[in-house]
Amino acid sequence: MADDANRATFLEIQGRMIEITGKLKQVQTQIRNKEGEKKRAFLTLEELKQLSDDTNAYKSIGRTFVLEPKSVLMNEQEQKLKDSEATIDSLHSSKEYLEKQLAEVENNLRELLQQDPGIARQIMSMSVA
């Protein structure tokens, strides 16, 4: 009976670990994407700064280009940069939270395996088979 309870506990912990690991990978991917957006906005802003103030430039909207004043484009890029930074900060806090959860789940698994060495042998025999 205790063996079944430990096995159920192990399966629950394993499910949580898989779920948290998936969420962590998703957050890391989102961070990379937002950092790319931030870098593009920064580089575009740097290029726009080199132009004179009365210059009009083209903005890409899908497959179309629209003529816009430099000031409008600068404001849009600055806003993109700020939004990306805010999102990256939020994602980093989410990542830290998920990493703490993962460490907690790993610790729970370690405690379970130390508490019942028999389940560790069963796990090893399942993975070999």
Side-chain angles (χ1 to χ4, degrees):
M1 185 70 173
D3 198 35
D4 289 341
N6 283 343
R7 178 174 276 168
T9 304
F10 169 75
L11 292 174
E12 179 186 332
I13 290 172
Q14 183 184 31
R16 284 190 61 213
M17 184 176 270
I18 291 169
E19 177 186 346
I20 292 170
T21 303
K23 286 180 182 178
L24 190 60
K25 286 180 182 179
Q26 185 179 19
V27 167
Q28 289 171 336
T29 301
Q30 289 174 340
I31 289 172
R32 276 194 305 276
N33 290 341
K34 282 297 175 183
E35 285 175 345
E37 279 183 33
K38 178 182 169 186
K39 186 167 188 156
R40 278 191 297 281
F42 174 76
L43 292 173
T44 303
L45 201 55
E46 289 299 310
E47 290 298 321
L48 286 172
K49 286 179 183 177
Q50 296 175 9
L51 301 174
S52 63
D53 289 337
D54 60 340
T55 303
N56 287 329
Y58 288 94
K59 170 183 162 183
S60 172
I61 301 178
R63 293 169 46 180
T64 309
F65 291 95
V66 179
L67 188 62
E68 295 275 354
K70 176 187 169 188
S71 60
V72 171
L73 294 175
M74 293 277 290
N75 290 337
E76 287 177 2
Q77 294 305 316
E78 288 170 353
Q79 189 61 43
K80 279 184 185 178
L81 192 64
K82 289 176 188 173
D83 290 346
S84 293
E85 288 174 347
T87 304
I88 288 170
D89 290 341
S90 171
L91 288 169
H92 275 295
S93 64
S94 295
K95 180 182 173 187
E96 289 173 8
Y97 173 74
L98 288 170
E99 286 173 341
K100 286 178 186 175
Q101 275 190 327
L102 186 61
E104 181 181 319
V105 168
E106 287 173 349
N107 194 25
N108 290 344
L109 181 61
R110 196 171 296 116
E111 287 177 11
L112 178 66
L113 293 176
Q114 287 175 350
Q115 179 184 13
D116 185 6
I119 197 166
R121 283 191 295 275
Q122 288 177 354
I123 293 168
M124 293 304 286
S125 67
M126 287 181 351
S127 64
V128 172

